[in-house]
Amino acid sequence: MSDIRLLGLDDLPLCQRLESDRGWSTDEAKWRLMFEVGAVYAVDAADGDGLAGCVVVTCYGDSLAGVGMMLVADRYGRQGLGTRLMEHALQVAGNRVVELTATRFGRPVYERLGFRPVGSLTITMGPMRGTACSPRVRVATPEDHAALLKLDAEVTGADRSKALTGLLARAERTVVTDGGFAVAWTAGPHRVIGPVVSPSEEAARELILAAAHGADRDVRIDLLDAYPGLRPWLTKLGPVQGSAALPTMVYGAHRPPGDRGRYVAPILISMG
């Protein structure tokens, strides 16, 4: 098997071909963001036909790293390539705490490497009704960005300014309230809402409604465990749960850093 190599933006079509092999479909704009703020590693297929596997590592300052898009072509499955790619991702992360959201296929690999489950993520998507804006929520301006980055660092325990600044530049709509914010951006057929940080469940509802306001496409928001009441509430508005809740996992610590009790929805750059 070939060596693991760092990909460049010119390799993006190869990543999309690999995704297609596994039945995934990620918007090109999202892939471009992953290349911009993270590092995409891959192994070339021994038969010369594209990539055998890939993984994305996004380092947030010196304390945290996110790992996702761990994909292995079907014809190279069960040959240890997933483990090899994840071991490389952990080497890249160094002493940082590593977090990811696991698919059912990836979870056994992560557990063998020492990841532990710490929570869950529920994917919801669909048309969203009743997106009136609360007077307590307003559209963000560039002057809000520094405070937004500071709040994000408090909640995640990491400096995610590079990734978040890149996302804000692409955002369709960013809204803020006292102690919270939500970013909405376009990825393929969806208006994706995330990250979302909120001081309360009530504020989280207001932020989500404001972020979805005026959407001309289905809304996708992946809910973490901060406020469990959001899941049934959101379903009543239209978006439905796309699958069973997926485990969130960490490596190198008993829990992820920061005040995750206020972390409503992730940045959603990549998934394991």
Side-chain angles (χ1 to χ4, degrees):
M1 191 71 71
S2 302
D3 292 338
I4 296 174
R5 68 181 179 94
L6 178 65
L7 301 189
L9 191 58
D10 290 346
D11 296 304
L12 190 155
L14 295 177
C15 297
Q16 291 181 304
R17 280 186 57 201
L18 178 59
E19 265 196 312
S20 179
D21 177 81
R22 298 315 305 258
W24 287 24
S25 180
T26 298
D27 182 62
E28 181 177 331
K30 186 177 173 184
W31 268 112
R32 286 182 176 275
L33 183 60
M34 285 188 278
F35 272 97
E36 178 183 322
V37 304
V40 185
Y41 296 94
V43 172
D44 292 308
D47 59 12
D49 186 16
L51 301 177
C54 76
V55 67
V56 178
V57 185
T58 307
C59 294
Y60 303 117
D62 296 326
S63 59
L64 183 68
V67 173
M69 301 305 288
M70 205 276 279
L71 293 162
V72 174
D74 187 63
R75 65 190 185 280
Y76 290 105
R78 291 182 168 80
Q79 297 179 32
L81 181 55
T83 299
R84 183 179 165 203
L85 285 165
M86 282 304 302
E87 288 175 338
H88 183 77
L90 292 176
Q91 289 178 359
V92 172
N95 293 325
R96 298 173 179 87
V97 175
V98 180
E99 64 179 353
L100 55 76
T101 300
T103 63
R104 65 185 180 92
F105 299 106
R107 180 170 182 171
V109 173
Y110 308 144
E111 289 181 333
R112 285 197 298 271
L113 291 172
F115 282 84
R116 63 179 67 203
V118 291
S120 65
L121 177 144
T122 304
I123 299 171
T124 61
M125 61 183 75
M128 194 163 170
R129 302 181 296 273
T131 57
C133 294
S134 164
R136 290 181 291 272
V137 178
R138 61 177 175 81
V139 174
T141 68
E143 288 70 31
D144 293 307
H145 287 183
L148 188 153
L149 296 177
K150 181 180 178 182
L151 181 57
D152 182 80
E154 291 176 6
V155 169
T156 64
D159 177 7
R160 304 198 306 175
S161 56
K162 180 180 179 182
L164 202 49
T165 298
L167 187 61
L168 289 169
R170 293 166 169 80
E172 188 174 353
R173 186 174 174 84
T174 302
V175 293
V176 295
T177 191
D178 186 19
F181 70 89
V183 182
W185 50 291
T186 298
H190 298 108
R191 177 183 286 190
V192 175
I193 300 177
V196 180
V197 169
S198 177
S200 68
E201 182 173 324
E202 180 182 5
R205 294 184 185 194
E206 294 175 347
L207 285 164
I208 290 169
L209 290 174
H213 183 70
D216 60 355
R217 65 198 67 205
D218 285 355
V219 171
R220 172 172 172 170
I221 178 168
D222 294 4
L223 293 173
L224 297 166
D225 297 327
Y227 305 112
L230 292 175
R231 290 168 178 158
W233 167 79
L234 191 60
T235 299
K236 289 180 182 179
L237 292 179
V240 296
Q241 185 170 321
S243 62
L246 300 171
T248 55
M249 307 183 78
V250 298
Y251 176 92
H254 293 287
R255 55 182 294 277
D259 180 8
R260 298 306 177 98
R262 293 182 283 159
Y263 195 34
V264 176
I267 200 166
L268 198 60
I269 289 181
S270 59
M271 182 181 294

